[in-house]
Amino acid sequence: MIRKINLVLDYDHLSALSAILRTGSFEKAARQLGLTPSAISQRIKALEERVGAVLVVRGQPCRPTLAGQRLFRHAEEVALLEAGLGRDLGEFAGMAKTPSLRLAVNADSLATWFVPAMAAVDAFLYDLVLDDQDHSAEWLRRGEVRAAVTGSSQAVQGCDCLYLGRLRYFATASPDFMARWFPDGVTAERLAVAPTMTFNTKDTLQSRWLALAFAMDISPPTHWLPSSHGFVDATLAGVGWGMNPEILVSNEITGSRLLMLLPDRPLDIPLYWHWSRSAGPALKVLTEAVLATARRLLVQDHP
Amino acid sequence: MIRKINLVLDYDHLSALSAILRTGSFEKAARQLGLTPSAISQRIKALEERVGAVLVVRGQPCRPTLAGQRLFRHAEEVALLEAGLGRDLGEFAGMAKTPSLRLAVNADSLATWFVPAMAAVDAFLYDLVLDDQDHSAEWLRRGEVRAAVTGSSQAVQGCDCLYLGRLRYFATASPDFMARWFPDGVTAERLAVAPTMTFNTKDTLQSRWLALAFAMDISPPTHWLPSSHGFVDATLAGVGWGMNPEILVSNEITGSRLLMLLPDRPLDIPLYWHWSRSAGPALKVLTEAVLATARRLLVQDHP
């Protein structure tokens, strides 16, 4: 929608690259853009010749090279800047396509408080990447996302950072599980043999809680279950005990379908919102929505 | 627990390898087995010398080489066979450690019907890998899981396969979303501009449904949201329309918090249970529980 004057890159070609990397294939990208696969191929070839580097590793799915990744990021940044321009100039607004916004969010945030924040801002097509809160900042550092919910307060270069509040977890289990594994109370000895659940190899919540509550090294047998709601369902079904977000299990706790292993021992995980300054003012409205939702749903520190 | 007579491999060493590949690091494996990291290192080194190949690519997380993957699989198969032996011989039962069982399941099955099946059999520590139903069989083919819920009826070599039933999906959206994007009905023209949601690049449900319902090529703008419950929450919040499993949204449909785009156009995905014969009889009880749960919760064909 902006006339090409002295542009180094052809933005129609860049759109083809973005579509391939988002959908994973030349065929799907062609369908999304209403082009033939051969037109898509020609655009990528032209772009690769212009840049002097291979941009896409052909495969299932297609993956970007380092150069392709950098161009993908550039295309997203330009689309975000155009969206801001559209808002400011009014007349653009009707013409601009909804820009895509790639974010990294931890699974438990998505399961508990993040969706209302997304839903409050319809200026974007969201492209969500899920990763552990201790690892989501790496996506931002690598330039693969424009913003992230993370557990780290350390600002990433080129990014701003705001504190959101704490996501509170309780170690929970079903009444049957408690009766079977902890008939005489929750002790370190019993915790060493009662099966727990771990989200994936990045998940340290269970071991952090054990270390805090018992000040000793306990390594229980564990199931591996990479799903926030799967965790809750499996806890309810008595498969194991696990750290569940309070927001996600408050009804189950009130209704005694889940019991807390140690009710006075929550584990609070502080969360932060990081966003890239290169995305320009487009992220301002989303940042406000994320902050407002987090203040409403996360545990806030009292003075 | 079985005396080593003419064994080619040291099973204590194999346990160290399994623990590293499950937890992703030498340190966590050491903690899990109650050993020092240097004892773990020595065992892996001994195993690598015995086999004559590198088994673990050191990193965060540690990953197996092809040879490491093969040994990991062997260790799991032996543990499953020992568990069967324990059951049959009785006296072993109390001594045997609970064996781990790695399964590939599609996210929507985990979110809707699979947990009760898992919970009915407590003979295993479950190690769940999530992947699309069109790709979960590949995990079995590569020997990385012992069983899988897949969308494919084609038996994998060395595996048995049973039909489970169909997981029924409806294209759903919030009432506000319907009023905004489909004020004059759900037409191909409006579907080309109304935002949809896609789980990830492997997810073809939305495009399959569009192709079936309209017999034409429609490529709507899409959000990317890799979570079954995130999909439902975002549909409820009006972020986009999406294919949601009927089991997961039946309350929302009954309560009119979600509407079906075309109520007479469900999309049924047939599901199959595949399991490796090399795991021996250990999987028999789980197979029975999976079948019983699927017959109860999935749509069954009527004669």
Side-chain angles (χ1 to χ4, degrees), chain A residues 21-24 28 31-33 61 100 110-111 115-116 118-119 122 124-130 180 195-196 201-204 207 217 219-227 229-230 233-234 237-239, chain B residues 21-24 28 31-33 61 100 110-111 115-116 118-119 122 124-130 180 195-196 201-204 207 217 219-227 229-230 233-234 237-239:
Chain A
L21 298 183
R22 251 183 244 294
T23 63
K28 286 183 195 163
R31 219 174 309 136
Q32 193 169 78
L33 296 177
S100 278
L110 181 67
V115 168
M118 280 170 59
D122 65 0
F124 306 108
L125 286 173
Y126 293 97
D127 179 1
L128 255 60
V129 172
L130 295 189
R180 174 173 174 193
T196 186
T201 56
K202 294 174 180 174
D203 174 16
T204 58
S207 56
D217 219 357
S219 290
T222 188
H223 302 280
W224 299 92
L225 193 58
S227 154
H229 282 84
D233 292 344
V239 170
Chain B
L21 297 182
R22 253 182 243 291
T23 63
K28 286 183 196 162
R31 220 175 308 136
Q32 194 169 77
L33 296 178
S100 279
L110 181 67
V115 168
M118 278 169 59
D122 66 358
F124 306 108
L125 287 172
Y126 293 98
D127 179 2
L128 255 61
V129 172
L130 294 188
R180 174 175 173 191
T196 186
T201 56
K202 294 174 180 173
D203 174 16
T204 58
S207 56
D217 218 357
S219 289
T222 187
H223 303 279
W224 300 92
L225 193 58
S227 154
H229 282 84
D233 292 345
V239 170

Side-chain angles (χ1 to χ4, degrees), chain A residues 88-107:
Chain A
D88 293 346
L89 299 186
E91 65 195 287
F92 271 117
M95 299 157 66
K97 272 197 174 177
T98 310
S100 278
L101 182 66
R102 182 170 268 200
L103 306 173
V105 178
N106 61 314

Side-chain angles (χ1 to χ4, degrees), chain B residues 79-285:
Chain B
L80 288 170
L81 291 175
E82 283 189 9
L85 192 66
R87 258 202 320 282
D88 293 345
L89 300 186
E91 64 196 287
F92 270 116
M95 300 156 66
K97 272 198 175 179
T98 311
S100 279
L101 182 66
R102 182 170 267 199
L103 307 174
V105 179
N106 61 314
D108 285 341
S109 282
L110 181 67
T112 53
W113 68 272
F114 195 73
V115 168
M118 278 169 59
V121 182
D122 66 358
F124 306 108
L125 287 172
Y126 293 98
D127 179 2
L128 255 61
V129 172
L130 294 188
D131 204 345
D132 189 272
Q133 64 273 5
D134 293 340
H135 297 259
S136 47
E138 291 159 22
W139 288 82
L140 199 59
R141 209 166 288 127
R142 290 194 304 261
E144 294 184 41
V145 298
R146 296 289 77 68
V149 174
T150 87
S152 160
S153 61
Q154 210 184 330
V156 174
Q157 201 183 355
C159 295
D160 287 320
C161 169
L162 277 171
Y163 174 66
L164 294 170
R166 289 170 285 131
L167 189 55
R168 175 159 291 173
Y169 290 81
F170 279 104
T172 45
S174 71
D176 283 354
F177 187 91
M178 293 295 281
R180 174 175 173 191
W181 291 98
F182 305 114
D184 304 312
V186 177
T187 61
E189 196 184 19
R190 298 299 303 161
L191 278 166
V193 293
T196 186
M197 298 187 294
T198 311
F199 194 93
N200 59 25
T201 56
K202 294 174 180 173
D203 174 16
T204 58
L205 292 188
Q206 282 69 221
S207 56
R208 263 197 258 180
W209 180 80
L210 285 171
L212 278 173
F214 292 89
M216 56 190 287
D217 218 357
I218 306 171
S219 289
T222 187
H223 303 279
W224 300 92
L225 193 58
S227 154
S228 300
H229 282 84
F231 235 71
V232 175
D233 292 345
T235 315
L236 282 165
V239 170
W241 70 269
M243 301 303 293
N244 284 307
E246 187 180 24
I247 306 175
L248 210 52
V249 292
S250 55
N251 283 340
E252 284 69 21
I253 289 175
T254 310
S256 296
R257 291 184 297 281
L258 284 184
L259 304 177
M260 293 181 273
L261 269 60
L262 299 177
D264 54 351
R265 278 286 186 185
L267 181 70
D268 281 0
I269 302 296
L271 294 175
Y272 301 83
W273 173 246
H274 298 247
W275 71 99
S276 162
R277 280 194 289 271
S278 66
L283 278 177
K284 190 166 174 283
V285 188

